């Protein structure tokens, strides 16, 4: 399984107030985040942290990351320290990444990207950074404006404080179910309809069942 989460801010006192997090102190927050993580993520699972995992204290950060299950990959955020003793605990550290998850391209960045690769062909853009602030509301406003213009946009905030995250790593399916996009009709210049990514995937899966055709051939 592949999981995603962002902006845990382990050990960061001010984030409790900033996000209005339901914890009495950082010890309770950290314990909850660790427990939720390990209840979902197994040792052989992969998890992408989209930035701002820990807060400054390297010794405490190492103590925490040693308790977390899975193959851990960091998409670096503005608060991440990656040159000290914590570095070996991440299997990779990138500013930006692209992964194939459930036969769908997923774009990973700590910062939201309004126009991203393969946006018109079913790709998903996962991000963090803006927490549950007015900046996140602005991203949602832009996304809805794109929909109104007929532009597909699957920007999803995976900050742990979001209602659908609940301080727990989530799968792509969970994220898409919690953030549905309306069906957007697309037309070619000649006026004929362009098949949506969902329609194309459904047709390819049907072909695979009936004819033995593999989805990989269409990527």
């Amino acid at each position: 399984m592949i999981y995603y989460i962002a902006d845990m801010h382990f050990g960061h006192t001010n984030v409790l107030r900033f996000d209005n997090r339901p914890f009495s102190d950082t010890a309770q927050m950290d314990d909850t985040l660790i427990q939720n993580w390990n209840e979902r993520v197994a040792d052989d699972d992969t998890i992408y942290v989209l930035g701002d995992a820990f807060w400054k204290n390297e010794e405490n950060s190492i103590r925490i990351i040693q308790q977390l299950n899975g193959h851990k990959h960091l998409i670096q955020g503005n608060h991440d320290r990656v040159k000290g003793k914590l570095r070996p605990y991440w299997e990779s550290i990138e500013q930006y990444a692209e992964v194939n998850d459930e036969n769908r391209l997923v774009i990973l960045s700590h910062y939201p990207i309004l126009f991203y690769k393969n946006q018109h062909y079913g790709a998903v853009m996962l991000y963090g950074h803006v927490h549950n602030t007015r900046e996140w509301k602005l991203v949602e406003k832009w996304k809805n404006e794109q929909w109104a213009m007929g532009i597909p946009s699957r920007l999803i905030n995976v900050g742990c404080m979001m209602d659908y995250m609940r301080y727990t790593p989530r799968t792509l399916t969970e994220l898409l179910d919690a953030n549905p996009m309306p069906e957007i009709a697309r037309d070619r210049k000649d006026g004929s309809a362009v098949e949506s990514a969902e329609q194309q995937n459904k047709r390819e899966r049907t072909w695979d069942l009936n004819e033995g055709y593999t989805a990989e051939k269409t990527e």
Side-chain angles (χ1 to χ4, degrees):
M1 297 292 292
I2 301 177
Y3 293 92
Y4 308 92
I5 195 169
D7 298 303
M8 295 94 71
H9 284 254
F10 280 108
H12 188 184
T13 300
N14 287 341
V15 81
L16 297 172
R17 174 185 54 81
F18 185 78
D19 291 340
N20 192 28
R21 298 191 180 191
F23 308 109
S24 59
D25 52 31
T26 56
Q28 184 187 29
M29 177 182 72
D30 293 353
D31 287 346
T32 300
L33 284 165
I34 293 169
Q35 180 179 343
N36 290 355
W37 178 303
N38 288 335
E39 285 179 351
R40 296 299 308 279
V41 182
D43 285 336
D44 58 349
D45 289 333
T46 295
I47 180 162
Y48 289 93
V49 176
L50 275 67
D52 291 4
F54 301 100
W55 184 251
K56 293 185 177 180
N57 188 313
E58 185 176 65
E59 182 178 346
N60 186 58
S61 300
I62 291 174
R63 178 187 65 82
I64 291 172
I65 200 170
Q66 288 176 327
Q67 299 178 61
L68 300 176
N69 295 339
H71 300 280
K72 296 172 282 291
H73 300 265
L74 177 66
I75 307 301
Q76 188 175 352
N78 50 302
H79 291 299
D80 293 305
R81 309 291 186 267
V82 297
K83 294 184 179 180
K85 297 178 182 179
L86 187 62
R87 171 63 183 87
Y89 292 94
W90 297 108
E91 295 195 14
S92 70
I93 298 176
E94 304 287 347
Q95 296 285 342
Y96 168 97
E98 300 175 4
V99 300
N100 187 311
D101 189 350
E102 301 179 9
N103 204 34
R104 186 189 294 266
L105 177 65
V106 183
I107 308 298
L108 306 177
S109 171
H110 180 61
Y111 310 99
I113 301 173
L114 188 59
F115 298 101
Y116 54 92
K117 182 177 178 179
N118 283 14
Q119 179 170 347
H120 289 269
Y121 303 98
V124 181
M125 201 280 124
L126 303 183
Y127 67 93
H129 186 61
V130 296
H131 293 233
N132 51 6
T133 65
R134 61 182 182 178
E135 294 174 337
W136 166 67
K137 292 179 181 178
L138 186 57
V139 174
E140 288 292 289
K141 178 177 179 290
W142 288 336
K143 182 169 68 174
N144 279 274
E145 288 181 358
Q146 286 184 307
W147 291 348
M149 296 173 65
I151 301 172
S153 182
R154 294 173 177 84
L155 279 88
I156 301 177
N157 183 352
V158 295
C160 67
M161 76 299 299
M162 304 306 294
D163 290 342
Y164 47 86
M165 296 297 295
R166 295 192 297 278
Y167 303 95
T168 303
R170 298 295 176 187
T171 64
L172 181 62
T173 295
E174 290 175 316
L175 293 168
L176 290 171
D177 287 347
N179 296 271
M181 186 187 78
E183 183 67 32
I184 295 176
R186 297 174 57 231
D187 296 328
R188 297 185 179 89
K189 291 181 179 179
D190 63 4
S192 61
V194 176
E195 188 177 45
S196 70
E198 286 78 8
Q199 292 170 328
Q200 183 179 7
N201 288 337
K202 182 178 180 180
R203 175 175 56 78
E204 289 166 356
R205 287 193 297 270
T206 302
W207 186 282
D208 183 28
L209 290 172
N210 294 337
E211 305 292 340
Y213 191 74
T214 59
E216 285 77 10
K217 294 179 181 179
T218 66
E219 290 298 308

